[in-house]
Every structure is written in C-alpha cells, then in structure tokens.
Amino acid sequence: MPKEKSTTRKGGKERVQRRKKDPNAPKRGLSAYMFFANDNRDKVREENPGITFGQVGKMLGDKWKALTETERKPYDAKAATDKKRYEEEKAKYQAQLAEASEEESS
DNA sequence: AGTCTGATTGTTACC
DNA sequence: GGTAACAATCAGACT
C-alpha cells in the first residue's frame, strides 16, 4: 500500500466545485463504491426502513470493506468499465487540448 | 522520479 | 439544490 492517508476531508470543509483547471473537465469515472452503493442502497434501506443517510453511509462503508476482493470483483469490474469510459473522455479532452494548441499555433 | 493533494463520483435524507 | 460521511480513484500539479 502506498500511503494510508485518511481519505476523509482532513479539514472537513466544503469540498464542492473546487479547482477546475481543465477546459472541458473530463471528470473521473465512478468508483467501485459507487456501484456497490447502487446495489446496496436499496438493500440496506430495505433492511433499515427509515434509516438516515448517515447510518446508511457508515454502514455501507463498513460492509463494503467487509467484502472480500472476490465480492468487490464485480464492483471493481464496473469501476474499471466506468474508468474506460473516462479514458475516452480523457482521450478526447487531451485531443481537444492538442487541437486547441495546434490552432493556437496559428 | 516520486509523491501527494485535489477534484470527482454516487447514495440517501433533510432544509 | 446542496451538503453531509462513506470509499475509491485517478490524473495532474508539485517537489
């Protein structure tokens, strides 16, 4: 493992729309957790009717890690698929940059 | 060359 | 509409 830095907002401040140097911002693909949540959100809520987001989120994360790589596989696979999608965006995004640069040469 | 931070993604629930 | 923990992630910016 590279580094175990708490992915949690260190400052716990507003991390909404920030730094955006990308012209067309190729956004990133979804994370395995996103797909995991997509499949668990309704399931967790079903077993926990009336559960608030705070509980769902924490519980989801706990279960997420509870899963083994094998169980994460399908989710990771989806994440990888989404990543590919992002790759296309990134490719186009960079292609546009190159094009713009070329035109700029004019 | 290597690291690290910042930005982004999606969920639900509430104001 | 936006924000809040939850986790991943990845690419660009920085040293």
Side-chain angles (χ1 to χ4, degrees), chain A residues 4 6 11 15-16 22-23 26 29 33-34 37 40 47 53 55-56 67 70 72-74 84 90 96 101:
Chain A
E4 270 221 54
S6 322
R15 66 145 238 265
V16 60
D22 298 292
Y33 190 80
M34 300 295 109
N40 289 238
E47 292 195 50
F53 151 59
Q55 313 320 304
V56 183
L67 301 175
T70 316
R72 274 177 43 174
K73 231 183 155 183
K84 281 197 164 184
K90 186 182 52 146
Q96 277 170 77
S101 227

Side-chain angles (χ1 to χ4, degrees), chain A residues 37-55:
Chain A
N38 262 285
D39 201 62
N40 289 238
R41 80 192 154 180
D42 55 281
K43 200 193 154 161
V44 173
R45 265 202 78 227
E46 212 180 279
E47 292 195 50
N48 302 279
I51 182 174
T52 42
F53 151 59
Q55 313 320 304

Side-chain angles (χ1 to χ4, degrees), chain A residues 95-105:
Chain A
Q96 277 170 77
L97 283 176
E99 237 185 275
S101 227
E102 247 184 80
E103 239 178 46
E104 207 226 307
S105 236

Side-chain angles (χ1 to χ4, degrees), chain A residues 1-8 65:
Chain A
M1 43 202 69
K3 243 145 215 167
E4 270 221 54
K5 53 190 155 174
S6 322
T7 25
T8 9
K65 287 192 176 169

